Structures are given as structure tokens and as C-alpha cells.
Amino acid sequence: MKKNGLKGSGWLFASPYLFYALVFFLIPLVWSFYLALTDWNLISPVYNFIGLDNFIEAVKHPGVQAAFFVTFKFMAAFVPMVIVSSLTVALVINSLPRFKGLFLIGFFLPYLASGVVSSLIVKGLLSYNSPLNTFLRGTFGLDIDWLNSPLSALLVVAGIIAWKFTGYYALILTAGFASISKEVYEAAAIDGVTPSQQFFRITLPLLYPALFTTLILSIGVSFGIFTEVYQLTGGGPNYATNTWQMEIFKQAFTNLNAGYASAVAIIASIVTFVAILLIRKLLEVWGRRNGWV
Amino acid sequence: MKKKTLALLVTASLGGSILAGCSGGDEAASSDGVTKIEFWAAPNPTQQVYWEEMANKFEEENDHIDIEVSPMKESPTSEASIQTAIAGKSAPTMSENINRGFAAQLAQSQALVPLNEIEGWDELVANRNMEDTIQTWKFSDDNQYVLPIYSNPMLFGWRIDILEEVGVTETPRTYSEVLEAAKKLKEKYPDKYVWAKPDLADPTAWKRWFDFFMLYDAASGGNNFIEGDNFVADDQAGVDVLTFMDDLRAEKGILTKEATDPFESGLGIFTDLGPWTFSYWEEKFPEMKFGETFDLALPPVPDSTDLENVNTFADTKGIVIYASATEEERAAALEFLNWVYENPDHDLEWLETTKLPPARDDLSENESFTTFFEENPELKPYAEAVPYAIPSIDNAKYNELQTHIGSHAVNPVVEGTVAPKEGWEAMKKAIEEELSR
């Protein structure tokens, strides 16, 4: 009887979340699966059940194919950028004798900045007649078309997002540093290890749990890029920065193809889920092989 | 057991209250003989102020209609907000800020009321003196879904101060004259461009209104591009436009890199200009003076074209009434619109507030507007061009179709990767395939 009572209380306390999950996750999920099987645009009273046509059309569409590859290209550029920069920031802050919190807050601020505003600032900085480009043309004869060339556009977007997330990930890594006992370093110093040996043999393995978290988070970010691309390149040039979110937005709200956009969203979810799962497994194997886990 | 029942009750009541919060709160359309209508104004303060003022004045004289004006949300675009409002059954009675292409999408989805079927429509068109202007707004099913509020015939601005410096004393009107000006410009100023516009390399659909369609409407004499589901464009005019772009590129007269204020800074000497630019210039670029630093002209045309009555693209938006409105609300909405537009002073107030030319046939002749145009001479060319301005295509797939114009024709031609004729044929094929789906 007592056990039943506890069960009741459990349901009671879990009910707000369960209800929230039902209304905002489960029902929309089922609904989007249904929508993906129709040609509905959400506003017309007439629509048809078209089976898997939206999915078949989506996988053939250059925008969707581009979104698939662009995400991994972003990942290849963004993840190393953000991990190296956040690790550097965390290392520098960790070595500071005082005001660590103040500097951490300073680096964290870009995370709170609006993506729209930072994109517009970058757009101004990289414009043809900006001081930077005028200097590059005048001094080195370099005329770079930052946002109209596929590689530089991708790197610019990855750079903005890396700048935004560096402080946030540095915060996680700083917490990781704090958990490493100073005695380990003292013992290593007595044994005469070099600074690079100290970093690779002590810091990195002991930082692995925090590093694992930031890696997984940054990989997740690569699948959800929208604002910067929307503001800076619109997915161009020639789909070179067309992300999943950009493609879904264009189809749902510009072309009014809600059913098709739903199919793209489902494909994007599956790709994201599988990719993160695989990468997570690989990271775990890497950690285990090195004896860090 | 009691605890279980209690838990269920709490869960049910919590769910009920959340669901109640989610409901739209469907208000009665009419109470005490007063019809309440909701009007979404464009998401900018000037237009919102104008419509609030109109609604207040109307309500003073008509106590049987209550108009609630609110700004349209942009999350992230006004079109997306309207779409979600219709899907969520919370669409207003009517809204402004609707272009013809988006109206076609909504009309195809039966989300709009054909305005010509509401009593009082003909009276409205006659009273506002817009019989000719409204003809170009007729949709392919012969209905009128949009009441155009303003019509901006898009004009090209020329930096006449720089043209004079390079020895060009007349604003170029034909393709040859533009290319001649480009040669002279590059001779004296190799770092300047005729047309510095990053949008030329961007396939985003709406960007074609402000480059391709301005030139195409002028070159083709206003020939339609799409009629219903048929591609009916003038092939020769289309190829001429692309050849002009290609020739200008060959003269190094086009810059497609992102640039800050290229026309104002003199990096480019030719650009599309709408009347909304001038209020912005007054604050940010007071040195830009009409007739001194810049002049306005209709789009350049192929050399053999008649230079009289040249057509251009009309950037124009209007008001629609949503199908979710009741008969009573539709009638009230049209009564309000009739009240607004039967008095030219209201259009004058619109013009003074927004600087956007009202969509009426008599804009350049009606005495109500004479003083305004004398005080704002830079807006007069817009008023004069209203009868020659062609609104956007009315196909529900206008986004996909106009993206093809960019990705197959305009973008590769200005980048020099595709020949004009080849680009036109590829675009035509893609558009015809899109229309046949």
C-alpha cells in the first residue's frame, strides 16, 4: 500500500513534465510524421495523402543533398575551431592568479549576443569597401570575396559561431581543470615531465570528461545552424552554406511546402541522431583505447 | 488509492488549465450591434501609426464597427507569421503588406476572400480612381484578392555628379549608352563600378524584382512573364537583358561582392531606388541631393526600343481579407476601406507619412497631391511612372520560379560562367518543369 502511495506521488510530481512532453514533443512529433505524408501547406482546406513522395523528392533535391554535406563540412571547420579556442581560453584563464571569474564572464558574453547583430557586424567588416578589405587590396593585392566564395563563406559562418560558443565551452573546460588535483602536477614536476608531456599525459586525459561534453555539444550545434547563414549568405553561394534548418525554413515558410518541409525535418532528425550516436561511440572508443575512461 | 485519484485529478486539472491557456479565446465577432474587426498593419511604426489614426477617425464617425489595429509579427518573416496564424486559426480579419505573389499562394490555398465578391468593391475602386491600376492586379482566375495600397514604380538612380566628372552629361537611357558610360567611368576611375550590387549573385527569389524584372519589364514593354501556369515571357527581351548584364560584366562594370552603401559612397553609380530611400538619406546621407548628386530614370532599354512610356517593375503591396472572417466582418472591413479611400486626403496623409505613392491612376494629376510633389520633387518621377509599373507575377510558385531566374540565368551570367542565351534556355526549362509539376 505504501509502495502504491509512493507510485502515486511519483506520477503527481512527474505529471507537469509528462504533460509538457506530450503537448510540446510527442503530439508535434506524431503530427509532423503525418504532415510529411501529405502535400498540405498548413493553410489550405484541401490536401492529399501522398505516401512517401515527399521523402523521395527530398533525397533527390539538391538543397537537401547540400544540407547533408554542408553540415559535415561545418562540423569539420567549426568543431576544431571552437575546441582549440575554448581550450586555449580555459588554459589561459586557469593559469591566471586572480580575476578568473571576471575573464570567464568576458569570454562568455558573446554567447549572449544576438546572432542577427553579430552577423550584421561581420557583414560590415567583410564588405568590399571595409577598412580590412581596402587594406588587404592595397597592401597585398588580395581581393577576397568572403561571402560569395563557397569555402570562405563556410569558414566565416563557422568562425562567427565558434566565437559565440568559445566562452561557453571554456566555462565547461575551466570546471574540468578545477577538478584536476594540483598534487598530480606537483608529482609530475618532481618526476621532471616537460610542459607538453604534462598537457598530453596529464591534463588532456583528466580533462577528457569535460572535453567529451564540449565535443558532443559542438557537434550538436553543427546540426542546428540557421541565424548566421540566414543573415549572411541565405544558404549560398550555390548551396555552399545551405544547412538543414535553412532548407526547412525555405520550404516551410517561403515556398509554403509544409508537408515537404516536415519530411526534410524528419530526415534531418534521423541524420542528426545517427551522426551524433556514431560520433559519440567513436569518442568513447577513443577515450577507452587511451585509458581515459 | 486516494492519492492516486488525487494525482489524476491534479494532472487533469493542470492539463485542462494549460489547454485553456493555449486556446485562442475565440471572441464574439459581434456584441451589442458592434462588429469587431482585427487589422494587422505592416511591421513598421509609420504604417502602424497611419492605420491607428485612420481607425480612430473612422470609429468616431461609425460606432457600429470596432477596429483593432496591431503590427504584424515578423517571426522570422511577416509571411511566416501570417501562415502560422492561418494554420493556428488566429488570422485577423484583414492585413496589409501583402505582395501579389504571396497573395497568389494564399488564394490558391483558399485563405483569401475575393474582394470583388464583397458588396462595395466597385464603389471603392471608382471612388479611389484606381480602375486602370487595379487591372494589372487581376489574378489569373479573374478575381481581385488584394487592394493595392501603394505602388512603387522602381526607378534606377544614377550618380550624375560622377557621370559628369567622366564626361557623361545625359543620364544613359539605352544599353549602348550605359556601356559607353561604363567605358568612360573605368577609364577615369578603374576602382569604381557601374552596378555594385551583391544581390546580383544571390538566387533569393525576391531579389529578382529589383534587377531582372525592372529590366525585363522595360525591354519587353510590360509583357507578362507567367500567365496562369504558362511561361509566356518574351524570349528576345529576356536574352537582351542577360546580354546587357553580360556586356556590363565584360566591361568590369559589375561588382557582386558585399559592399556597404555602394551607391552613396560612389563605389557604384547605378542602382535601383525606391521612394523609401529618401527619408533614410535625409538622416544618414544628407549630401545626396536630387538633381545634384543623383538623378532618377526608368530602366535602360535595348537600343531599338521606343523610349516613351517605358515600363518598370512595381514594388507594390496591399490589403487582403482572410477567408476566416465572417460575412459581417468582411462587410465591416470593406466599409472601413471605402471610408478611407473615398477621401483623397487620406491618401495624401499616407503619402506624407510613408512617402510611398498611393496606387491611384490620378496621382500625378490630382490637385490634392500637387503641393506634396512640389515640396518633394524626387518623388514626382515615381508618381509619373505609376501607370507603367507592372506588379509581380501572381503564381503560387513564384518563389521557386524566381529562384530559377537567379540560379540559372542572372547569377551565372553576372559571374561570367554562362552565356546569356544558354542561361535563358536553362532558366526557361527549369521554370517550365516547375510549372508542370
Side-chain angles (χ1 to χ4, degrees):
Chain A
M1 192 65 190
K2 200 175 177 185
K3 211 173 180 182
N4 280 343
L6 277 173
K7 265 188 189 172
S9 307
W11 281 108
L12 174 67
F13 288 117
S15 59
Y17 176 75
L18 290 176
F19 189 78
Y20 172 82
L22 180 76
V23 172
F24 294 103
F25 291 107
L26 197 62
I27 294 174
L29 184 68
V30 174
W31 174 243
S32 73
F33 270 103
Y34 173 73
L35 196 58
L37 302 174
T38 70
D39 61 1
W40 200 17
N41 64 5
L42 282 183
I43 52 179
S44 174
V46 183
Y47 61 92
N48 303 302
F49 185 79
I50 56 168
L52 295 174
D53 285 5
N54 282 331
F55 290 92
I56 295 164
E57 201 184 323
V59 292
K60 288 183 194 164
H61 194 277
V64 173
Q65 291 169 357
F68 178 85
F69 292 109
V70 163
T71 305
F72 291 103
K73 287 180 192 171
F74 263 125
M75 204 185 289
F78 165 68
V79 175
M81 268 188 208
V82 78
I83 294 298
V84 169
S85 58
S86 56
L87 197 58
T88 310
V89 168
L91 272 168
V92 171
I93 287 177
N94 194 49
S95 64
L96 291 174
R98 59 180 77 174
F99 302 126
K100 285 184 187 177
L102 191 69
F103 280 99
L104 264 180
I105 290 170
F107 280 106
F108 184 74
L109 284 178
Y111 182 71
L112 305 175
S114 148
V116 176
V117 174
S118 48
S119 302
L120 290 176
I121 291 170
V122 169
K123 200 172 192 171
L125 286 173
L126 299 179
S127 74
Y128 178 80
N129 43 358
S130 70
L132 171 72
N133 279 318
T134 308
F135 169 76
L136 289 176
R137 275 198 307 277
T139 315
F140 305 107
L142 281 174
D143 190 4
I144 304 169
D145 197 355
W146 295 99
L147 299 174
N148 274 336
S149 102
L151 180 65
S152 59
L154 192 119
L155 290 175
V156 166
V157 174
I160 300 174
I161 301 168
W163 168 77
K164 190 181 171 83
F165 281 89
T166 292
Y168 175 41
Y169 295 161
L171 199 67
I172 298 171
L173 294 172
T174 309
F177 277 121
S179 68
I180 303 173
S181 166
K182 281 184 181 163
E183 287 160 7
V184 182
Y185 289 110
E186 284 165 6
I190 292 164
D191 290 341
V193 299
T194 62
S196 67
Q197 280 176 322
Q198 184 181 299
F199 178 76
F200 287 106
R201 299 287 171 85
I202 299 170
T203 308
L204 207 57
L206 291 176
L207 199 61
Y208 177 76
L211 208 54
F212 180 83
T213 307
T214 51
L215 272 167
I216 294 297
L217 285 174
S218 60
I219 287 160
V221 166
S222 309
F223 286 94
I225 297 167
F226 175 71
T227 310
E228 291 77 9
V229 166
Y230 179 71
Q231 288 295 329
L232 287 175
T233 64
N238 199 18
Y239 292 123
T241 55
N242 198 49
T243 60
W244 286 111
Q245 312 300 322
M246 192 68 211
E247 186 60 24
I248 293 164
F249 169 79
K250 271 194 279 194
Q251 293 297 343
F253 297 112
T254 308
N255 297 345
L256 297 196
N257 293 330
Y260 176 78
S262 251
V264 177
I266 289 165
I267 295 170
S269 311
I270 294 166
V271 170
T272 308
F273 179 76
V274 172
I276 292 183
L277 196 74
L278 280 175
I279 294 168
R280 199 182 141 179
K281 288 282 171 208
L282 283 172
L283 285 172
E284 283 170 358
V285 169
W286 180 53
R288 267 199 298 272
R289 189 166 287 174
N290 287 292
W292 298 343
V293 187
Chain B
M1 193 66 189
K2 272 182 183 172
K3 278 185 182 173
K4 227 178 197 177
T5 316
L6 183 70
L8 276 170
L9 272 173
V10 171
T11 311
S13 62
L14 185 70
S17 60
I18 293 172
L19 279 178
C22 290
S23 76
D26 201 12
E27 288 172 40
S30 177
S31 59
D32 303 332
V34 176
T35 305
K36 190 173 177 178
I37 57 174
E38 200 183 341
F39 180 28
W40 282 3
N44 67 63
T46 46
Q47 279 170 249
Q48 197 192 338
V49 164
Y50 172 81
W51 285 112
E52 275 171 359
E53 205 178 311
M54 284 297 117
N56 289 338
K57 281 184 186 169
F58 175 79
E59 283 169 0
E60 280 169 19
E61 296 172 23
N62 301 273
D63 56 5
H64 63 291
I65 296 173
D66 178 14
I67 304 162
E68 195 179 297
V69 178
S70 56
M72 190 178 276
K73 289 181 188 70
E74 286 187 291
S75 51
T77 62
S78 54
E79 285 85 0
S81 300
I82 290 167
Q83 192 193 356
T84 46
I86 295 170
K89 309 217 178 298
S90 59
T93 312
M94 59 178 173
S95 78
E96 61 162 336
N97 209 35
I98 307 293
N99 70 54
R100 201 157 170 257
F102 185 49
Q105 287 179 320
L106 295 175
Q108 195 191 46
S109 301
Q110 301 170 36
L112 298 181
V113 176
L115 299 175
N116 48 300
E117 288 178 6
I118 307 176
E119 201 184 324
W121 169 254
D122 293 336
E123 190 189 341
L124 193 161
V125 171
N127 286 343
R128 200 190 183 198
N129 205 336
M130 58 187 304
E131 282 99 335
D132 290 340
T133 306
I134 202 75
Q135 285 310 314
T136 55
W137 275 81
K138 194 174 267 187
F139 284 67
S140 49
D141 64 357
D142 278 342
N143 279 319
Q144 296 283 5
Y145 292 99
V146 189
L147 170 69
I149 304 178
Y150 63 86
S151 180
N152 288 320
M154 290 302 297
L155 300 177
F156 278 107
W158 282 96
R159 283 294 299 262
I160 50 172
D161 52 345
I162 300 174
L163 279 178
E164 272 179 29
E165 284 172 29
V166 301
V168 180
T169 50
E170 293 273 316
T171 306
R173 299 179 70 187
T174 63
Y175 292 169
S176 292
E177 288 172 11
V178 176
L179 294 169
E180 192 55 35
K183 279 182 188 145
K184 288 184 175 172
L185 177 77
K186 295 304 272 192
E187 270 173 32
K188 186 159 186 185
Y189 297 117
D191 294 338
K192 289 192 188 295
Y193 296 83
V194 174
W195 206 356
K197 191 173 162 83
D199 290 357
L200 287 167
D202 184 339
T204 305
W206 63 265
K207 294 187 175 178
R208 297 294 75 81
W209 290 331
F210 306 106
D211 46 48
F212 175 80
F213 275 108
M214 287 178 73
L215 293 168
Y216 171 79
D217 287 333
S220 67
N223 188 82
N224 277 349
F225 196 78
I226 304 282
E227 273 176 14
D229 280 335
N230 297 311
F231 178 80
V232 295
D234 179 338
D235 289 322
Q236 187 55 50
V239 175
D240 284 348
V241 168
L242 295 177
T243 307
F244 167 62
M245 290 178 168
D246 192 44
D247 291 343
L248 203 52
R249 176 200 60 79
E251 293 292 342
K252 295 188 170 46
I254 289 182
L255 176 76
T256 56
K257 294 187 176 82
E258 193 62 50
T260 308
D261 303 319
F263 186 71
E264 294 83 347
S265 66
L267 176 67
I269 61 163
F270 170 80
T271 195
D272 54 288
L273 287 179
W276 57 80
T277 315
F278 307 119
S279 327
Y280 163 69
W281 277 357
E282 268 173 32
E283 284 184 22
K284 205 176 169 198
F285 298 101
E287 69 277 15
M288 297 296 286
K289 300 274 183 212
F290 180 60
E292 290 174 28
T293 47
F294 76 96
D295 202 355
L296 294 165
L298 284 158
V301 289
D303 296 358
S304 55
T305 310
D306 182 7
L307 295 173
E308 289 299 310
N309 306 335
V310 171
N311 293 96
T312 186
F313 170 73
D315 172 57
T316 171
K317 288 185 174 176
I319 294 176
V320 296
I321 297 179
Y322 292 95
S324 52
T326 62
E327 292 291 336
E328 205 178 11
E329 288 166 345
R330 293 174 194 186
L334 212 69
E335 192 178 333
F336 169 59
L337 293 175
N338 253 314
W339 177 87
V340 172
Y341 290 118
E342 70 187 1
N343 185 350
D345 286 346
H346 292 158
D347 264 334
L348 177 64
E349 198 175 328
W350 167 271
L351 190 55
E352 287 169 341
T353 312
T354 65
K355 303 277 194 289
L356 301 171
R360 21 188 329 144
D361 302 338
D362 60 350
L363 192 59
S364 58
E365 296 111 39
N366 192 315
E367 285 178 7
S368 304
F369 308 106
T370 310
T371 315
F372 176 84
F373 286 118
E374 279 169 3
E375 288 167 3
N376 299 273
E378 72 278 10
L379 294 177
K380 206 172 177 194
Y382 291 96
E384 287 167 351
V386 167
Y388 313 111
I390 314 289
S392 55
I393 55 176
D394 69 344
N395 193 288
K397 289 183 178 175
Y398 79 103
N399 266 302
E400 291 94 325
L401 301 174
Q402 291 185 195
T403 302
H404 290 314
I405 302 174
S407 58
H408 293 282
V410 174
N411 307 156
V413 165
V414 296
E415 282 158 7
T417 54
V418 162
K421 197 161 176 20
E422 199 184 314
W424 180 262
E425 291 303 327
M427 175 208 79
K428 190 174 170 178
K429 187 167 173 267
I431 288 178
E432 283 174 339
E433 277 174 13
E434 192 75 55
L435 288 169
S436 66
R437 270 181 214 161

